[in-house]
Amino acid sequence: MNTIDADIVDWEKKRINLQKNVSDDLLARYEKIRNRNKGVGVISVWKAVCNGCHMNIPPQLYNELQKSNELLSCPNCSRIIYFQDMEKPA
Ligand SMILES: [Zn+2]
């Protein structure tokens, strides 16, 4: 029984840590975007095209997306976007 208890405690700690990493702000933003966009809040971008709304994103934003670790949003559909290189094997 002791090992099971320890496992549960361990898991609980991990869960709390995960929640700490996601701010309330971000979580609220994500939920809002997700509700507005058929349940998809985060989408990939390739060749400066948002895969959510299939619109071009400005070149400057596209550059920033590839360089920075910041969370950026598509100016058209507001989904949180990330850069994905489709030509590289996963
Ligand atoms: Zn978009």
Side-chain angles (χ1 to χ4, degrees), residues 44-56:
S44 64
V45 169
W46 172 236
K47 289 188 173 167
V49 174
C50 167
N51 280 315
C53 60
H54 302 285
M55 298 284 281
N56 270 293

Side-chain angles (χ1 to χ4, degrees), residues 14 16 21 28-29 67 74-75 86:
K14 272 182 204 154
I16 291 162
N21 287 336
R29 189 174 138 197
K67 281 185 293 192
C74 171
M86 301 285 208

Side-chain angles (χ1 to χ4, degrees), residues 54-82:
H54 302 285
M55 298 284 281
N56 270 293
I57 62 166
Q60 202 192 333
L61 183 65
Y62 188 56
N63 279 337
E64 214 179 313
L65 188 67
Q66 292 172 71
K67 281 185 293 192
S68 83
N69 288 320
E70 262 181 77
L71 281 168
L72 301 166
S73 294
C74 171
N76 302 302
C77 66
S78 314
R79 286 182 177 98
I80 295 165
I81 49 174
Y82 65 91

